[in-house]
Amino acid sequence: DQQVKQNSPSLSVQEGRISILNCDYTNSMFDYFLWYKKYPAEGPTFLISISSIKDKNEDGRFTVFLNKSAKHLSLHIVPSQPGDSAVYFCAGSGSARQLTFGSGTQLTVLP
Amino acid sequence: EPEVTQTPSHQVTQMGQEVILRCVPISNHLYFYWYRQILGQKVEFLVSFYNNEISEKSEIFDDQFSVERPDGSNFTLKIRSTKLEDSAMYFCASSEALAGGEQFFGPGTRLTVL
């Protein structure tokens, strides 16, 4: 089951630069997409979401872009900070509200 | 800030034993969920619960699993007869609204089946 795919297992970025995390999906029934951040030994922490009828949502340093025709979304973090180093998961949510997660991308922000 | 809590943080059990994982969702939330993450794999949905009944469940959630809200605050996941492959991190989550509502996750319970 690969309804949500994160093809980059890891990403390293210099502090202050932009981090771009990517996610692809196959399920056209998702009507919300969410990004979560996860530190070791903790549960996922909600970051930002976007409705499928929007193409952009911004919250502080975090912006999510949705390209429905390409079935692709991305999370931009600007500027990146060392505290942003974590595993980032994208997830799709359909009518039943269960979240279908990608496999995650380990972001490392280098000082 | 309100948060989802889970107990215990780590549970070790013998194969075939019953385990109960406990969660206290955020108090004004109405929707409750269990997910699990086997080491090195994705976070997977198990079950959702609303209005004192299961609203959705995945293929993983077979007859060995059950959920209950025994009182106004706790939400439990029971595994009747644990198998080795049940070893995983189990996360409880809750949400306030249905449509688009973000789910807030607890810190997880690490279940180890020997």
Side-chain angles (χ1 to χ4, degrees), chain A residues 77-98:
Chain A
I77 306 173
V78 183
S80 302
Q81 300 171 353
D84 296 329
S85 296
V87 178
Y88 288 77
F89 293 95
C90 68
S93 174
S95 58
R97 295 305 149 211
Q98 64 197 63

Side-chain angles (χ1 to χ4, degrees), chain A residues 26-47:
Chain A
T26 56
N27 188 341
S28 300
M29 302 305 289
F30 289 142
D31 51 11
Y32 280 89
F33 299 91
L34 303 91
W35 283 94
Y36 282 82
K37 176 169 80 170
K38 187 179 181 301
Y39 295 115
E42 294 185 15
T45 301
F46 171 76
L47 277 176

Side-chain angles (χ1 to χ4, degrees), chain A residues 47-60:
Chain A
L47 277 176
I48 191 169
S49 63
I50 187 167
S51 164
S52 62
I53 62 172
K54 307 271 190 186
D55 55 20
K56 179 181 173 182
N57 188 27
E58 191 172 350
D59 184 1

Side-chain angles (χ1 to χ4, degrees), chain B residues 15 41 46 71-72 77 80 92 105:
Chain B
M15 190 169 58
Q41 297 186 23
L46 292 178
D71 53 42
L77 174 69
R80 260 180 273 283
C92 173
F105 283 75

